[in-house]
């Protein structure tokens, strides 16, 4: 990225001033990069596990899939200690206020994963009691598809959050609410050799 | 709706002391709490650490399963039963179609019965492993949670091989199975029972059975007597830990638990039903371990001699879906397939009601079906073991300390989706 | 045996369902609501019956059911552990205020089951110690498992405050 200094061209800065401004600007970038990098690699998830997806979340935390490889193994059940809300499972009408309260209790910066078809869209439960997608009432960053998603898929979702954190970091309050402006591309491209052959 | 659930639920002063200056405090445990695993809520009145009274609020995962059942046909609803007890979905699939076949009056093929028995026992092992592991986790032993998950992953692999999904399986169909098992599957099951399970149970025993912290936090906690257990409607391992001699596999045998299951005079599978008169959390834990051992024995008896033949009942009865080869290459198969899946055709059950129950890992899981002759049920009622087991929870925890609430809860294995449906 | 004890009640014992070839072995008896407690107490204590456990309690809304006369059928599924037999008892109630006596005094396990039936069907159980809604919340007005309630509800699931990134 360019290091264009935020000074007007008419203003003649002294050499010392110029250097110190440049240095502090560099330090800012470096600090932001460092903070983002460390945030990204130590996400503390808050598992809001209601249903089947919660079991896959447990399996992701257990030894075979081992979410600790991505630095996100520190599950904290107090929302005030967490920065990543994983909403796993369907959310009933009675649970939605609870989920909203938990989201509001989490301290900034915070990100939300909506895990599974039920949390993202209601899934097979198109009934009177199930909220048809938590994103209607909460800001969601990453949707993880599947019913329930395999642990690999959830790990991909966590990695997507990491890419968001790395690229955007913490947005200031004026930037909030304008959407992410970022499309998460899957890291794995599936190569289909000859799509017409059966 | 004028009041939102938030105000309705939290309107009372549940966080404040009841009497200012008094020493009785009200603590709200849940709906989101690590020990509840899912969404349960208890309002505890405490004096110091002692529980004076406990009020349970449920319904935080109510998703309208029974309403949904009135709109899906007999084969489609199996997808919803997966999500009912998501710890052992295979057992739910089998229980649902057991009720359907009671309604239709179908008799399964021997091969199907054997396969269903094996997967029912695998599901039982799966459920007990998670329950015991979580009991360890809630009492502070994280290792006891990690070890059983390894064995659980192996079971998930086995299920994935036969039906393509790790644990939302939807494997059964009316009168049969979604597809036949793969040829190498029985050998894998056998290897699981001989090589994976014994060390897994052994590890658990070493970690917990004589672990002093675990024993002292579970022994004598949450006691329920034999008569109370019956009166409260307890079934399954919880009731057997209180000394109730009841196991549907023995008392109302189905599948391979019944004699002469293949029509050629084969005897039922041999197993024992573990019973304890302890009635506390520790007894429940021991019962679960013993049941896992018995399940392994049952599977080993069956895995070697799975009879040949079709897995679905004969296509002449027009009750099961034909296999795909028939659908693609013969006009009769295609017609039959469409007859089954079209919305105004499909199964034509007799008008009436039927109840079918299975012994699953949590207790008696039954389905009460009412049919008005259409291709969807008129009413689906699930008898959820968690719901009925859970209602005497206040009686179990009153008088204990607050940390024992967690121990009782993890010993009962409450699955919220089955609880609230 | 039941008929001998209560000659004045028409129990109409019948199997739960009848197929063309054979009748089903699950037996069902019909009891009017005003005699329910008396009959249930007999079934619980009599040595020939010994139904110690209330296995299940549910309800069916027979709104459009073929040949049904009454609307709500409360179904008690009784189980005897010592004898190993089952019996289904049906008790019918009708609009506008369906009422059935509560059996909590006989089987403690009926408590939540009756609350669930009240919640889902709106059948009131007289004499129940704590008849509150159990699965839905207190402010909910409808009874969702009635046949005239739509599957997707009446907009309850859309009625929340929306939290955005600014407001949180």
């Amino acid at each position: 990225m360019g290091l264009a200094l935020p000074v007007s061209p008419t203003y003649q800065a002294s050499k010392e001033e110029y250097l110190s401004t440049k240095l502090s600007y560099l330090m800012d970038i470096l600090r932001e990069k460092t903070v983002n990098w460390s945030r990204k690699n130590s996400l503390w998830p808050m598992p809001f596990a209601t249903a089947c997806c919660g079991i896959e979340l447990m399996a992701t935390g257990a030894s075979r899939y081992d979410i600790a490889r991505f630095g996100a193994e520190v599950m904290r059940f107090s929302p005030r200690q967490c920065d990543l809300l994983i909403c796993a499972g369907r959310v009933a009408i009675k649970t939605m206020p609870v989920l909203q309260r938990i989201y509001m209790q989490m301290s900034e910066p915070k990100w939300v994963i909506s895990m599974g078809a039920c949390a993202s869209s209601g899934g097979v439960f198109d009934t009177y009691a199930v909220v048809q997608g938590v994103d209607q009432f909460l800001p969601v960053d990453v949707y993880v598809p599947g019913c329930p998603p395999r642990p690999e898929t959830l790990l991909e979702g966590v990695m997507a959050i990491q890419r968001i954190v790395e690229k955007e970091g913490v947005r200031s309050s004026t930037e909030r609410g304008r959407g992410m402006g970022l499309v998460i591309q899957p890291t794995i491209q599936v190569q289909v050799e000859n799509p017409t052959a059966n | 709706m004028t009041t939102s659930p938030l105000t309705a639920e939290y309107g009372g002063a549940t966080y404040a002391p009841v009497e200012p200056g008094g020493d009785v405090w009200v603590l709200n445990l849940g709906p989101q709490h690590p020990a509840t695993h899912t969404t349960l809520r208890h309002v505890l009145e405490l004096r110091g650490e002692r529980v004076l009274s406990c009020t349970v609020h449920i319904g935080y995962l109510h998703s309208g399963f029974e309403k949904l059942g009135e709109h899906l046909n007999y084969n489609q609803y199996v997808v919803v039963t997966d999500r009912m007890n998501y710890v052992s979905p295979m057992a739910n699939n089998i229980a649902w179609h057991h009720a359907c076949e009671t309604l239709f009056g179908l008799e399964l093929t021997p091969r199907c019965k054997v396969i269903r028995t094996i997967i029912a026992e695998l599901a039982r092992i799966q459920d007990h492993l998670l329950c015991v592991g979580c009991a360890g986790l809630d009492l502070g032993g994280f290792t006891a949670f990690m070890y059983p998950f390894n064995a659980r992953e192996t079971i998930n692999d086995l299920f994935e091989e036969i039906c393509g999904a790790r644990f939302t399986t939807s494997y059964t169909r009316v009168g049969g199975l979604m597809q036949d098992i793969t040829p190498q599957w029985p050998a894998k099951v056998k290897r699981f029972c001989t090589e994976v399970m014994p060390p897994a149970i052994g590890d658990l025993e070493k970690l917990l059975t004589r672990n002093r912290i675990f024993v002292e936090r579970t022994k004598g906690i949450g006691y329920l007597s034999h008569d109370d257990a019956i009166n409260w409607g307890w079934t399954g391992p919880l009731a057997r830990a209180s000394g109730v001699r009841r196991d549907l596999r023995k008392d109302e045998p189905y599948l391979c638990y019944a004699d002469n299951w293949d029509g050629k005079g084969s005897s039922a599978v041999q197993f024992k039903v573990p019973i304890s008169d302890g009635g506390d959390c520790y007894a429940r834990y021991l019962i679960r371990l013993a049941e896992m051992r018995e399940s392994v024995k049952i599977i080993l008896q069956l895995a070697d001699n799975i009879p040949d033949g079709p897995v679905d009942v004969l296509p002449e009865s027009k009750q099961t879906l034909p296999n795909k080869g028939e659908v693609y290459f013969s006009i009769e198969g295609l017609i039959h397939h469409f007859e089954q899946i079209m919305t105004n055709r499909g199964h034509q059950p007799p008008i009436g009601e039927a109840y079918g129950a299975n012994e699953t890992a949590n207790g008696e899981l039954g389905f009460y079906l009412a049919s008005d002759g259409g291709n969807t049920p008129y009413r689906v009622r699930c008898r959820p073991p968690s719901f009925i087991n859970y209602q005497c929870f206040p009686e179990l925890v009153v008088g204990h300390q607050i940390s024992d609430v967690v121990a009782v809860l993890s010993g009962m294995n409450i699955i919220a989706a089955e609880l609230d449906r | 045996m039941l008929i001998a004890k209560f000659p004045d009640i028409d129990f109409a014992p019948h199997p739960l369902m009848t197929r063309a070839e054979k009748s089903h072995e699950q037996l069902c008896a019909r009891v009017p609501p005003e005699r329910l407690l008396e009959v249930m107490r007999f079934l619980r204590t009599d040595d020939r019956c010994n139904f110690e456990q209330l296995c299940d309690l549910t309800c069916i809304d027979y709104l459009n059911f073929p040949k049904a006369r009454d609307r709500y059928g409360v179904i008690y599924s009784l189980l005897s552990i010592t004898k190993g037999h089952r019996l289904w008892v049906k008790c019918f109630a009708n609009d506008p205020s369906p009422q059935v006596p509560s059996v909590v005094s006989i089987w403690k396990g009926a408590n939540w089951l009756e609350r669930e039936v009240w919640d889902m069907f709106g059948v009131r159980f007289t004499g129940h110690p704590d008849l509150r809604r159990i699965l839905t919340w207190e402010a909910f007005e409808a009874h969702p498992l009635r046949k005239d309630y739509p599957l997707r509800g009446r907009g309850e699931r859309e009625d929340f405050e929306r939290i955005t990134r600014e407001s949180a």
Side-chain angles (χ1 to χ4, degrees), chain B residues 231-353:
Chain B
N231 203 348
W232 279 108
W234 272 20
T235 48
L238 296 184
R240 290 195 281 275
S242 290
V244 181
R245 289 168 189 276
R246 176 91 185 152
D247 189 321
L248 286 182
R249 293 176 291 173
K250 292 278 191 198
D251 293 329
E252 293 172 14
Y254 52 94
L255 295 179
C256 292
Y257 309 115
D259 278 328
N260 192 20
W261 47 269
D262 58 353
K264 293 180 207 143
S266 294
S267 60
V269 286
Q270 300 293 316
F271 66 104
K272 293 186 193 124
V273 180
I275 290 184
S276 155
D277 54 2
D280 54 1
C281 289
Y282 190 61
R284 286 165 208 153
Y285 158 76
L286 288 180
I287 291 277
R288 289 209 162 89
L289 276 192
E291 281 196 6
M292 279 197 269
R293 289 214 181 82
E294 295 298 323
S295 295
V296 169
K297 275 189 214 159
I298 295 175
I299 296 171
L300 283 179
Q301 287 170 41
L302 292 173
D304 271 338
N305 39 15
I306 298 179
D308 292 331
V311 290
D312 292 333
V313 292
L314 292 173
E316 284 86 58
S317 70
K318 299 279 181 201
Q319 295 279 13
T320 51
L321 284 171
N323 66 29
K324 285 285 177 275
E326 218 176 302
V327 175
Y328 292 144
F329 298 111
S330 79
I331 188 70
E332 292 83 12
L334 191 66
I335 293 172
H336 179 190
H337 179 76
F338 277 109
E339 283 278 327
Q340 285 298 316
I341 63 166
M342 276 165 73
T343 49
N344 54 349
R345 305 287 178 84
H347 299 293
Q348 301 291 338
I351 297 177
E353 290 159 25

Side-chain angles (χ1 to χ4, degrees), chain C residues 6-56:
Chain C
F6 301 100
D8 52 334
I9 306 177
D10 175 23
F11 283 109
H14 59 281
L16 273 182
M17 65 178 303
T18 322
R19 264 185 232 100
E21 66 274 29
K22 56 166 187 177
S23 84
H24 211 263
E25 64 269 20
Q26 297 173 339
L27 202 74
C28 173
R30 188 185 163 134
V31 178
E34 55 270 17
R35 304 295 299 277
L36 184 78
L37 275 181
E38 196 184 331
V39 175
M40 287 301 198
R41 213 162 268 137
F42 169 75
L43 287 173
R44 166 87 170 78
T45 49
D46 188 77
D47 280 342
R48 292 163 296 177
C49 305
N50 250 338
F51 291 105
E52 302 111 336
Q53 197 171 54
L54 179 71
C55 176
D56 195 6

Side-chain angles (χ1 to χ4, degrees), chain C residues 2-118:
Chain C
L2 257 181
I3 302 169
K5 171 82 182 166
F6 301 100
D8 52 334
I9 306 177
D10 175 23
F11 283 109
H14 59 281
L16 273 182
M17 65 178 303
T18 322
R19 264 185 232 100
E21 66 274 29
K22 56 166 187 177
S23 84
H24 211 263
E25 64 269 20
Q26 297 173 339
L27 202 74
C28 173
R30 188 185 163 134
V31 178
E34 55 270 17
R35 304 295 299 277
L36 184 78
L37 275 181
E38 196 184 331
V39 175
M40 287 301 198
R41 213 162 268 137
F42 169 75
L43 287 173
R44 166 87 170 78
T45 49
D46 188 77
D47 280 342
R48 292 163 296 177
C49 305
N50 250 338
F51 291 105
E52 302 111 336
Q53 197 171 54
L54 179 71
C55 176
D56 195 6
L57 192 162
T58 183
C59 180
I60 296 184
D61 179 4
Y62 290 102
L63 185 60
N64 301 315
F65 201 74
K67 293 187 218 155
R69 276 167 299 165
D70 304 295
R71 180 154 181 198
Y72 304 103
V74 180
I75 299 169
Y76 300 82
S77 158
L78 308 181
L79 167 68
S80 164
I81 288 177
T82 43
K83 298 270 193 307
H85 53 211
R86 288 175 187 267
L87 176 74
W88 280 263
V89 172
K90 276 194 193 175
C91 183
F92 287 93
N94 274 306
D95 277 338
S97 62
Q99 277 195 348
V100 168
S102 164
V103 293
V104 177
S105 53
I106 308 173
W107 293 283
K108 284 189 258 181
N111 191 331
W112 279 18
L113 292 164
E114 288 183 349
R115 278 176 68 187
E116 191 193 353
V117 171
W118 155 245

Side-chain angles (χ1 to χ4, degrees), chain A residues 46-53 55-56 58-65 77 89-95 97-98 101-102 118 124-130 147-152, chain B residues 5-6 9-10 15 31-34 37-39 58-65 67-68 79-80 83 86-87 130 134 145-146 149-150 152-154 156-157 160 166-168 416-417:
Chain A
M46 155 88 208
F48 188 80
T50 55
C52 336
C53 292
I55 305 291
E56 284 296 52
M58 281 164 143
T60 318
S63 31
R64 185 191 281 192
Y65 293 99
F77 291 91
R90 57 189 175 273
V91 178
I93 313 179
K94 221 170 163 179
T95 326
V98 180
R101 178 171 288 215
I102 285 175
C118 299
V124 291
F125 297 101
D126 190 3
T127 60
Y128 57 94
V130 180
C147 189
R150 293 180 59 94
E152 293 96 331
Chain B
L6 189 68
E9 283 297 315
Y10 293 92
Y15 297 105
Q32 220 291 325
H33 186 270
H37 299 297
T38 41
T39 45
I58 66 167
Y60 287 91
L61 201 51
H62 177 59
S63 335
F65 280 58
K67 189 81 179 174
L68 207 54
V79 176
V80 179
R83 277 103 185 136
Y86 40 73
V87 179
L130 187 87
C134 285
F145 167 75
M146 289 295 193
F149 249 88
N150 268 340
R152 254 182 78 88
E153 290 290 343
T154 323
N156 283 345
D157 287 348
E160 193 175 359
R166 268 162 60 85
F167 77 89
T168 41

Side-chain angles (χ1 to χ4, degrees), chain B residues 26-56:
Chain B
V26 177
L27 180 76
N28 185 42
L29 185 74
Q32 220 291 325
H33 186 270
T36 61
H37 299 297
T38 41
T39 45
L40 318 166
R41 178 170 167 230
H42 317 95
V43 178
L44 304 168
E45 268 182 36
L46 305 169
R47 171 169 284 137
E49 289 228 347
R50 212 45 80 176
V51 180
L52 295 182
S53 80
C54 169
T55 317
V56 182

